[in-house]
Short mmCIF file of all heavy atoms in Angstrom, two decimals:
data_model
loop_
_atom_site.label_atom_id
_atom_site.label_comp_id
_atom_site.label_asym_id
_atom_site.label_seq_id
_atom_site.Cartn_x
_atom_site.Cartn_y
_atom_site.Cartn_z
N PHE A 633 -13.30 54.28 12.21
CA PHE A 633 -12.93 54.40 10.81
C PHE A 633 -11.43 54.64 10.72
O PHE A 633 -10.90 55.58 11.33
CB PHE A 633 -13.69 55.55 10.15
CG PHE A 633 -15.16 55.29 9.99
CD1 PHE A 633 -16.07 55.78 10.91
CD2 PHE A 633 -15.64 54.54 8.91
CE1 PHE A 633 -17.42 55.54 10.77
CE2 PHE A 633 -16.99 54.29 8.78
CZ PHE A 633 -17.88 54.79 9.71
N VAL A 634 -10.74 53.77 9.96
CA VAL A 634 -9.29 53.87 9.77
C VAL A 634 -9.01 53.99 8.28
O VAL A 634 -9.47 53.16 7.49
CB VAL A 634 -8.55 52.64 10.34
CG1 VAL A 634 -7.05 52.82 10.18
CG2 VAL A 634 -8.91 52.43 11.81
N ALA A 635 -8.27 55.04 7.90
CA ALA A 635 -7.98 55.30 6.49
C ALA A 635 -6.48 55.30 6.27
O ALA A 635 -5.69 55.56 7.18
CB ALA A 635 -8.58 56.63 6.06
N GLU A 636 -6.08 55.01 5.03
CA GLU A 636 -4.70 55.24 4.64
C GLU A 636 -4.51 56.72 4.37
O GLU A 636 -5.46 57.47 4.20
CB GLU A 636 -4.36 54.40 3.40
CG GLU A 636 -4.38 52.90 3.66
CD GLU A 636 -3.94 52.10 2.46
OE1 GLU A 636 -3.32 52.70 1.54
OE2 GLU A 636 -4.20 50.89 2.42
N ASP A 637 -3.25 57.13 4.29
CA ASP A 637 -2.96 58.56 4.20
C ASP A 637 -3.13 59.12 2.78
O ASP A 637 -2.73 60.25 2.50
CB ASP A 637 -1.56 58.87 4.70
CG ASP A 637 -0.49 58.06 4.00
OD1 ASP A 637 -0.83 57.34 3.03
OD2 ASP A 637 0.67 58.13 4.41
N ASP A 638 -3.73 58.34 1.87
CA ASP A 638 -4.03 58.87 0.53
C ASP A 638 -5.52 58.68 0.20
O ASP A 638 -5.89 58.65 -0.96
CB ASP A 638 -3.17 58.17 -0.53
CG ASP A 638 -3.37 56.66 -0.53
OD1 ASP A 638 -4.02 56.16 0.41
OD2 ASP A 638 -2.89 55.99 -1.46
N VAL A 639 -6.37 58.57 1.22
CA VAL A 639 -7.80 58.32 1.01
C VAL A 639 -8.43 59.52 0.31
O VAL A 639 -8.01 60.68 0.50
CB VAL A 639 -8.50 58.04 2.35
CG1 VAL A 639 -8.51 59.28 3.24
CG2 VAL A 639 -9.92 57.52 2.15
N ARG A 640 -9.43 59.25 -0.52
CA ARG A 640 -10.18 60.28 -1.21
C ARG A 640 -11.67 60.02 -1.00
O ARG A 640 -12.19 58.97 -1.40
CB ARG A 640 -9.87 60.30 -2.71
CG ARG A 640 -8.43 60.67 -3.04
CD ARG A 640 -8.13 62.11 -2.68
NE ARG A 640 -6.78 62.48 -3.04
CZ ARG A 640 -5.73 62.44 -2.21
NH1 ARG A 640 -5.92 62.03 -0.95
NH2 ARG A 640 -4.53 62.80 -2.61
N ILE A 641 -12.36 60.96 -0.32
CA ILE A 641 -13.79 60.86 -0.10
C ILE A 641 -14.50 61.54 -1.26
O ILE A 641 -14.16 62.68 -1.62
CB ILE A 641 -14.19 61.53 1.23
CG1 ILE A 641 -13.35 60.95 2.38
CG2 ILE A 641 -15.67 61.35 1.51
CD1 ILE A 641 -13.52 59.46 2.56
N CYS A 642 -15.47 60.86 -1.84
CA CYS A 642 -16.13 61.39 -3.05
C CYS A 642 -17.46 62.02 -2.69
O CYS A 642 -17.54 62.85 -1.80
CB CYS A 642 -16.26 60.27 -4.07
SG CYS A 642 -14.66 59.54 -4.49
N ASN A 643 -18.54 61.58 -3.33
CA ASN A 643 -19.83 62.24 -3.16
C ASN A 643 -20.62 61.72 -1.97
O ASN A 643 -21.70 62.23 -1.69
CB ASN A 643 -20.67 62.06 -4.43
CG ASN A 643 -21.05 60.60 -4.64
OD1 ASN A 643 -20.20 59.73 -4.70
ND2 ASN A 643 -22.34 60.33 -4.76
N VAL A 644 -20.09 60.73 -1.25
CA VAL A 644 -20.82 60.16 -0.12
C VAL A 644 -20.38 60.86 1.16
O VAL A 644 -19.20 60.93 1.47
CB VAL A 644 -20.58 58.65 -0.02
CG1 VAL A 644 -21.43 58.04 1.08
CG2 VAL A 644 -20.87 57.97 -1.35
N SER A 645 -21.33 61.36 1.93
CA SER A 645 -21.01 62.09 3.15
C SER A 645 -20.56 61.14 4.25
O SER A 645 -20.95 59.97 4.27
CB SER A 645 -22.22 62.89 3.63
OG SER A 645 -23.22 62.01 4.14
N PRO A 646 -19.74 61.62 5.20
CA PRO A 646 -19.33 60.77 6.33
C PRO A 646 -20.53 60.24 7.11
O PRO A 646 -20.50 59.10 7.60
CB PRO A 646 -18.47 61.72 7.17
CG PRO A 646 -17.94 62.71 6.20
CD PRO A 646 -19.03 62.92 5.19
N GLY A 647 -21.58 61.06 7.25
CA GLY A 647 -22.77 60.59 7.97
C GLY A 647 -23.44 59.43 7.27
O GLY A 647 -23.90 58.48 7.92
N ARG A 648 -23.49 59.49 5.94
CA ARG A 648 -24.10 58.39 5.19
C ARG A 648 -23.22 57.13 5.25
O ARG A 648 -23.72 56.01 5.32
CB ARG A 648 -24.32 58.82 3.74
CG ARG A 648 -25.04 57.79 2.89
CD ARG A 648 -26.41 57.47 3.46
NE ARG A 648 -27.13 56.56 2.58
CZ ARG A 648 -27.78 55.49 3.02
NH1 ARG A 648 -27.79 55.21 4.30
NH2 ARG A 648 -28.43 54.72 2.18
N ILE A 649 -21.90 57.32 5.23
CA ILE A 649 -20.98 56.19 5.36
C ILE A 649 -21.19 55.50 6.70
O ILE A 649 -21.27 54.27 6.79
CB ILE A 649 -19.52 56.66 5.20
CG1 ILE A 649 -19.25 57.08 3.76
CG2 ILE A 649 -18.55 55.57 5.63
CD1 ILE A 649 -17.87 57.64 3.52
N ARG A 650 -21.29 56.29 7.78
CA ARG A 650 -21.52 55.71 9.10
C ARG A 650 -22.87 54.99 9.14
O ARG A 650 -22.99 53.92 9.75
CB ARG A 650 -21.48 56.81 10.16
CG ARG A 650 -21.74 56.29 11.57
CD ARG A 650 -21.65 57.39 12.60
NE ARG A 650 -22.61 58.46 12.33
CZ ARG A 650 -22.67 59.59 13.03
NH1 ARG A 650 -21.82 59.81 14.01
NH2 ARG A 650 -23.56 60.51 12.72
N GLU A 651 -23.87 55.54 8.47
CA GLU A 651 -25.20 54.94 8.50
C GLU A 651 -25.21 53.58 7.82
O GLU A 651 -25.74 52.61 8.38
CB GLU A 651 -26.19 55.89 7.82
CG GLU A 651 -27.64 55.43 7.90
CD GLU A 651 -28.59 56.41 7.24
OE1 GLU A 651 -28.10 57.37 6.63
OE2 GLU A 651 -29.80 56.20 7.35
N VAL A 652 -24.64 53.49 6.62
CA VAL A 652 -24.66 52.20 5.91
C VAL A 652 -23.79 51.17 6.62
O VAL A 652 -24.10 49.97 6.62
CB VAL A 652 -24.22 52.36 4.43
CG1 VAL A 652 -25.19 53.26 3.68
CG2 VAL A 652 -22.81 52.90 4.32
N CYS A 653 -22.71 51.60 7.28
CA CYS A 653 -21.87 50.66 8.03
C CYS A 653 -22.62 50.15 9.26
O CYS A 653 -22.54 48.96 9.59
CB CYS A 653 -20.57 51.34 8.44
SG CYS A 653 -19.43 51.65 7.07
N SER A 654 -23.34 51.04 9.94
CA SER A 654 -24.11 50.62 11.11
C SER A 654 -25.17 49.60 10.71
O SER A 654 -25.39 48.60 11.42
CB SER A 654 -24.78 51.83 11.77
OG SER A 654 -23.81 52.73 12.25
N MET A 655 -25.82 49.81 9.57
CA MET A 655 -26.83 48.87 9.10
C MET A 655 -26.21 47.52 8.78
O MET A 655 -26.79 46.47 9.08
CB MET A 655 -27.55 49.45 7.88
CG MET A 655 -28.34 50.71 8.19
SD MET A 655 -28.91 51.55 6.69
CE MET A 655 -30.10 50.37 6.07
N ALA A 656 -25.03 47.53 8.16
CA ALA A 656 -24.37 46.27 7.82
C ALA A 656 -23.94 45.52 9.08
O ALA A 656 -24.10 44.30 9.17
CB ALA A 656 -23.16 46.54 6.93
N PHE A 657 -23.39 46.23 10.05
CA PHE A 657 -22.99 45.59 11.30
C PHE A 657 -24.19 45.05 12.07
O PHE A 657 -24.15 43.96 12.63
CB PHE A 657 -22.21 46.57 12.17
CG PHE A 657 -20.76 46.72 11.79
CD1 PHE A 657 -20.15 47.98 11.75
CD2 PHE A 657 -19.99 45.62 11.47
CE1 PHE A 657 -18.82 48.12 11.41
CE2 PHE A 657 -18.66 45.75 11.12
CZ PHE A 657 -18.07 47.01 11.09
N ASP A 658 -25.28 45.83 12.11
CA ASP A 658 -26.47 45.39 12.84
C ASP A 658 -27.09 44.15 12.21
O ASP A 658 -27.59 43.26 12.91
CB ASP A 658 -27.51 46.52 12.88
CG ASP A 658 -27.06 47.69 13.74
OD1 ASP A 658 -26.12 47.50 14.55
OD2 ASP A 658 -27.62 48.80 13.61
N ALA A 659 -27.07 44.08 10.87
CA ALA A 659 -27.70 42.95 10.19
C ALA A 659 -26.81 41.71 10.18
O ALA A 659 -27.31 40.60 9.98
CB ALA A 659 -28.03 43.34 8.74
N ASN A 660 -25.52 41.88 10.41
CA ASN A 660 -24.58 40.76 10.38
C ASN A 660 -23.68 40.82 11.61
O ASN A 660 -22.57 41.37 11.56
CB ASN A 660 -23.73 40.80 9.10
CG ASN A 660 -24.56 40.71 7.84
OD1 ASN A 660 -24.85 39.64 7.35
ND2 ASN A 660 -24.94 41.87 7.31
N PRO A 661 -24.12 40.25 12.73
CA PRO A 661 -23.34 40.34 13.97
C PRO A 661 -21.96 39.71 13.89
O PRO A 661 -21.08 40.04 14.69
CB PRO A 661 -24.21 39.58 14.99
CG PRO A 661 -25.59 39.59 14.41
CD PRO A 661 -25.41 39.56 12.93
N ASP A 662 -21.74 38.80 12.92
CA ASP A 662 -20.44 38.14 12.83
C ASP A 662 -19.45 38.93 11.98
O ASP A 662 -18.29 38.53 11.85
CB ASP A 662 -20.60 36.73 12.26
CG ASP A 662 -21.30 36.73 10.91
OD1 ASP A 662 -22.05 37.68 10.62
OD2 ASP A 662 -21.09 35.77 10.14
N LEU A 663 -19.87 40.04 11.38
CA LEU A 663 -18.95 40.89 10.63
C LEU A 663 -18.18 41.78 11.59
O LEU A 663 -18.75 42.38 12.50
CB LEU A 663 -19.69 41.75 9.61
CG LEU A 663 -20.19 41.07 8.34
CD1 LEU A 663 -20.87 42.08 7.43
CD2 LEU A 663 -19.06 40.38 7.60
#
Side-chain angles (χ1 to χ4, degrees):
F633 291 97
V634 182
E636 294 185 16
D637 55 6
D638 58 350
V639 67
R640 295 293 182 265
I641 306 300
C642 302
N643 67 304
V644 185
S645 71
R648 184 60 176 134
I649 290 176
R650 179 178 59 185
E651 185 179 6
V652 297
C653 289
S654 297
M655 296 169 68
F657 279 138
D658 291 344
N660 299 272
D662 57 335
L663 284 182

